[in-house]
């Protein structure tokens, strides 16, 4: 996978995570079952991101490892911020 593909995959996960977090803050936060609704939106986002990323990259073991690392880092960051926000309320 070349450098441009790496940047596109990282940009997509950052962009999509930002959109999901904004949706959570604006529409879901403070409502009943906001955590479960966030999980639903986030899982749908992850499926879309994975499908688009698999179309973009070459199917090699190294590229798949890169996708897994990006997914884990992005998931930890968004879940930590959402859990922190839910626990404050």
């Amino acid at each position: 996978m070349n450098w441009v593909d790496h940047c596109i995959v990282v940009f997509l996960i950052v962009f999509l995570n930002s959109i999901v977090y904004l949706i959570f803050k604006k529409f879901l936060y403070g409502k009943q079952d906001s955590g479960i609704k966030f999980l639903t939106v986030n899982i749908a986002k992850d499926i879309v991101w994975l499908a688009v990323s698999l179309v973009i990259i070459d199917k090699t073991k190294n590229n798949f490892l890169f996708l897994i690392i990006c997914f884990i880092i992005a998931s930890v960051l968004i879940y930590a911020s959402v859990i922190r926000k839910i626990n404050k309320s």
Side-chain angles (χ1 to χ4, degrees), residues 10-78:
V10 170
F11 173 76
L12 279 174
I13 195 70
V14 169
F15 179 71
L16 292 174
N17 271 353
S18 299
I19 290 173
V20 168
Y21 187 72
L22 290 173
I23 288 171
F24 170 75
K25 276 181 56 178
K26 192 164 212 134
F27 301 110
L28 302 176
Y29 180 65
K31 303 221 169 117
Q32 187 175 2
D33 296 331
S34 62
I36 298 297
K37 292 175 185 173
F38 165 76
L39 285 174
T40 304
V41 172
N42 196 45
I43 289 173
K45 181 263 313 172
D46 289 337
I47 292 171
V48 168
W49 173 75
L50 183 62
V52 170
S53 296
L54 287 174
V55 168
I56 292 172
I57 66 167
D58 298 328
K59 278 59 169 190
T60 63
K61 199 180 288 187
N62 291 337
N63 293 338
F64 189 67
L65 181 63
F66 174 73
L67 284 179
I68 291 172
I69 291 170
C70 285
F71 174 77
I72 290 171
I73 291 171
S75 294
V76 166
L77 292 175
I78 194 166

